Amino acid sequence: MKKDYDMVVIGAGIAGVCAALAAARRGLKVALVEKQEFLGGNASADLMVKPEGAMAMGHNRFADESGLAGEIRSEWYRHRIWNCRVLSQILWQLVTSEKNVDVYLHHVATQPVMGDEFNISAVDVQHLISKEEVRLAAPLFADCSGDGHVAFRAGAEYRMGREARAEFGESLAPEKPDGGIMGATLMYGLRDMPFDVPFASPKEARRFDEYPFLDREHHNDMPGSPWWLEYATVENVFDDQALMTALYRIWFGYFDHLKKEHPDFYARRFVEHLPKYPARRESRRFVGDCLLTQNDIEQGTDFSDKVCHGGWPIDIHAAGGITSKDRPAIQKFVNPYSIPYRCLHSKNIANLFFAGRDVSVTHCALGSTRVEWTCGVMGEVVGTAAALCRRYGCRPRDIHPAHISELQQELLKNDCYIPGLRNCDPEDKALRANVLATSQMPLRITDANRVDRVMMGEKAAQTIPLSGSVLDQLILMMANSSAKSTRVTVRLFVCGDSLNTLFHMERILAEAWVDLDAGFKGWASFPLHAEGLDPRRVHGWFLTATHPVEIGVSEREVPGCLRGRGSNQDETIGKYTGYAEPAQALWHEDIGTYCFRTDPIQYPFSPQNVVNGIARPEIHPNVWISDPALEFPHDLELGWEKAERVREIRLTFNTGLNCTYPVRFVGRECVKAYEIYARHEGIWEKVADERENLFRRRIHRMDCQTDRLRIRILATHGEPQAEVAEVRIY
């Protein structure tokens, strides 16, 4: 049997689901093929690896994925149950609600059918139980399966194993190339019982005394998350039976060890679930027109064809997994970085896309790009690009450079994030509107919940978004608990223009000092008298003291205010996580903003931010925030000199993208209730009304003539101020 489609997507992990949804919502008929009985890939109800992404467990503020990945996550939060069984259900509901998607669960893609040496014309798939075969024909294909069997059999160029350090100058690469790959893992489900549950380990299980090095500090979380319980080699990574047998033997030995060594915690627990398939971290990586490297990620290479972003640490697990005597994982923190389009299509198979862990990256770069939400944003790019390929009758490679700007703007329109790229859609009427609001929040943080101690020889720093050209005084909430008077010096500086250079002091603009008496507690005023400041640039201040002092910290994370720390021994300041070792910061967070006021008062949360082209906080706030001292409602208005025809309004709310870990099911700042009014010939008419919003992006369709639109915010999910990141009008 043969079926014809516009696009065939192999693999229904988060990458494949996002690719299928993006293409289907743009009118393409899509076949989505998955060998498991659940959607979600590694994050499915079977494999149960909870998704991670660019926020990196809190290290990168405002870096959460939006677009389709954000939509999926919002649906997941709405269910208020943070497990992969619910996620698989949500993915199923999303794809089956799209009339343009046919889902082939329990189907394995057996063989591509080649139209010629460089083009796939169809893929043969077989149902794993009935053995019924179907030929899926299409002009475009996307291998989002991770292992890439279809791409491999089609002859797509690929890499496997570790590149030598000298090939790309990657500091984390080995001296010589080898076949080492990151391991596959087993996540499991346990259940507590009201009685002791005996456990007899199979005789084939690997005893943990076979691994005498497991008592090292890096394996000391055995009663907790077994992320390091992994194993795979290039010889068995594609053999499910052999790999699962090896992993089961390791796992049962591990559980036997827990039962014997931690009876207080495990005596009443039994194994409720073990997956049928291994959760692989690495296998094949297919080569595109660009190969993303460790250096691109660390340096934040600004690609002309950037289409999405990542931010998870370069998290490279030891080759050999649990059998390796090397450190289980090396984690190197990075700022959010861009991923180029040329990594997402094949170099030599003309109609083949990739999304997920099989894209065009080096082994070192894969340590960051492999996590599920990052794979999801790649998938949305691929599905969107496929629609452009159909529109222009071109191949994936032809999108760049001819149509790359159109692809980028289409992605931004659908709330995807591309670092440093602004909305410049000529069809967006909001960009030429006059924007007003009933109020805006002044920049002052006064609600300290705790203090941060700054030792002698340390620098404490924070960025400060400005709205004017003058800063006479910076006023900090401080305390001196020592028995001596302490001199505190504050310097104002111009920051770098990117996250990678944010705390690089371009130049010192002003400095001031005060002496805090012993026992001082209150507001300390620093007379900076800085003039001629450019509010288009990010500014920052840093503080040093002759003896330890304390600064008040608010638990609020204010957009545009990022904390930093440094030493007096050098001129650098780094992002502050609250932990001395970077690896600690991955698993913990240090939220908050230093408490301060300014004279004159700054207003960086202007209503103009909703049309500045960036729909989330970055180094600038990029969000309108109403004055929290005033009661609801809060109004935002967009107007034109002449009436415009409006058919669609797209609202983007702030839903905590500026905040750190942990997961919050619904951000308190998220707008809950709002109304939209349109004015025509002096008469206001309500055109939209929402009372239970939970989502970051909302689209309202209508057909009206208006010279002014009013968005009236009635309530949030807890905060006293309205926060709107973007308004688009078509």
Side-chain angles (χ1 to χ4, degrees), residues 464-532:
I464 176 172
L466 302 177
S467 59
S469 60
V470 175
L471 183 62
D472 282 334
Q473 296 189 73
L474 179 69
I475 308 161
L476 302 178
M477 183 181 289
M478 302 197 68
N480 177 14
S481 57
S482 70
K484 299 179 180 179
S485 175
T486 299
R487 174 158 292 187
V488 181
T489 302
V490 165
R491 294 177 175 88
L492 181 72
F493 63 95
V494 178
C495 298
D497 284 329
S498 71
L499 285 169
N500 276 358
T501 62
L502 185 62
F503 284 110
H504 292 189
M505 289 173 279
E506 203 170 278
R507 62 184 184 276
I508 302 295
L509 301 174
E511 69 175 78
W513 56 266
V514 297
D515 290 327
L516 301 184
D517 293 335
F520 174 87
K521 187 176 183 180
W523 291 97
S525 181
F526 295 85
L528 294 169
H529 302 306
E531 298 181 350

Side-chain angles (χ1 to χ4, degrees), residues 33-195:
V33 182
E34 173 56 51
K35 73 174 183 179
Q36 293 189 57
E37 62 265 44
F38 301 105
L39 303 180
N42 279 356
S44 71
D46 183 37
L47 275 63
M48 300 196 309
V49 179
K50 289 183 180 176
E52 296 294 350
M55 192 171 64
M57 302 286 282
H59 183 76
N60 290 324
R61 288 171 60 180
F62 48 67
D64 256 349
E65 295 73 14
S66 47
L68 280 170
E71 179 183 336
I72 292 167
R73 187 166 45 226
S74 293
E75 283 285 356
W76 197 3
Y77 292 172
R78 187 171 64 86
H79 285 70
R80 304 186 73 85
I81 301 175
W82 190 243
N83 70 44
C84 291
R85 296 183 181 90
V86 174
L87 177 59
S88 282
Q89 175 188 337
I90 290 165
L91 296 176
W92 174 257
Q93 291 170 343
L94 284 171
V95 297
T96 55
S97 67
E98 290 293 335
K99 64 180 181 179
N100 286 331
V101 179
D102 290 341
V103 184
Y104 292 83
L105 280 183
H106 258 166
H107 281 75
V108 61
T110 56
Q111 189 68 33
V113 179
M114 303 302 291
D116 57 44
E117 183 182 356
F118 305 110
N119 287 276
I120 304 171
S121 62
V123 170
D124 290 335
V125 302
Q126 183 183 66
H127 193 278
L128 288 173
I129 297 175
S130 71
K131 304 304 179 183
E132 179 182 355
E133 294 186 350
V134 183
R135 177 162 290 184
L136 307 178
L140 295 168
F141 295 83
D143 196 325
C144 306
S145 64
D147 294 331
H149 294 312
V150 168
F152 168 72
R153 290 166 185 157
E157 184 178 335
Y158 72 96
R159 287 175 172 241
M160 199 165 175
R162 302 189 289 188
E163 291 87 0
R165 184 174 303 169
E167 184 173 3
F168 299 105
E170 297 174 306
S171 64
L172 299 179
E175 288 289 342
K176 296 181 179 180
D178 60 33
I181 60 171
M182 290 182 275
T185 193
L186 293 181
M187 304 301 286
Y188 58 88
L190 301 180
R191 177 176 290 188
D192 287 325
M193 300 300 290
F195 49 82

